[in-house]
Amino acid sequence: MGRFPLRKCIALGVTGPVLRASGVKWDLRKAQPYAAYADFDFDIPVGENGDTYDRYIVRMQEMRQSLRIIDQAIGKIPGGPIMAKVAKVMKPPVGEIYHSIEAPKGELGYFIVSDGSTQPYRVRVRPPPS
């Protein structure tokens, strides 16, 4: 694929490491924290040229940042046994929601419409562009 300049990334809707390799400091875990990501200290690796080498470097740095997150998470595990009661069947409230996460290839979005039953009325998964 060669080089992905910023304009091309935006035109194609590119997210994730490819976008960051083109110089954009955007990561959903920092921009819109979900789960426990707000509790962790990590950096967003950014490239300059958007070429293959920058994408490689960004991905290698992201693995190092993932290790930082894991180390911090392990340090926050309390001592003693841990058991959680989780319902086997969940009934979400009536309505619709869109939620996205930072996946290895970019933003992974989920659109869910619930009618209040245990089965979703509608589900749409928006994968990152490949």
Side-chain angles (χ1 to χ4, degrees):
M1 289 245 163
R3 188 170 181 269
F4 265 96
L6 179 58
R7 286 182 174 273
K8 187 173 183 179
C9 286
I10 292 171
L12 294 174
V14 173
T15 60
V18 177
L19 181 64
R20 288 190 286 277
S22 296
V24 178
K25 192 173 183 175
W26 175 262
D27 189 317
L28 282 173
R29 297 171 299 174
K30 288 272 192 179
Q32 301 167 0
Y34 56 92
Y37 283 110
D39 300 336
F40 300 119
D41 179 38
F42 62 97
D43 299 323
I44 302 172
V46 179
E48 295 176 12
N49 304 312
D51 59 6
T52 304
Y53 182 71
D54 273 352
R55 291 194 295 275
Y56 167 77
I57 294 298
V58 164
R59 288 180 189 270
M60 292 298 111
Q61 290 175 352
E62 286 184 348
M63 285 191 274
R64 290 183 182 97
Q65 295 305 315
S66 293
L67 288 174
R68 278 181 66 189
I69 294 169
I70 291 168
D71 284 341
Q72 293 171 54
I74 289 171
K76 293 182 182 212
I77 296 175
I82 299 174
M83 294 294 288
K85 290 187 178 185
V86 179
K88 290 183 181 183
V89 179
M90 296 175 63
K91 288 187 179 183
V94 176
E96 58 185 52
I97 186 170
Y98 178 82
H99 184 71
S100 55
I101 63 167
E102 187 71 36
K105 292 184 178 182
E107 181 179 335
L108 180 61
Y110 296 90
F111 176 70
I112 302 169
V113 179
S114 171
D115 58 5
S117 68
T118 58
Q119 298 292 322
Y121 176 74
R122 180 164 191 239
V123 174
R124 169 79 170 104
V125 179
R126 182 190 167 271
S130 49

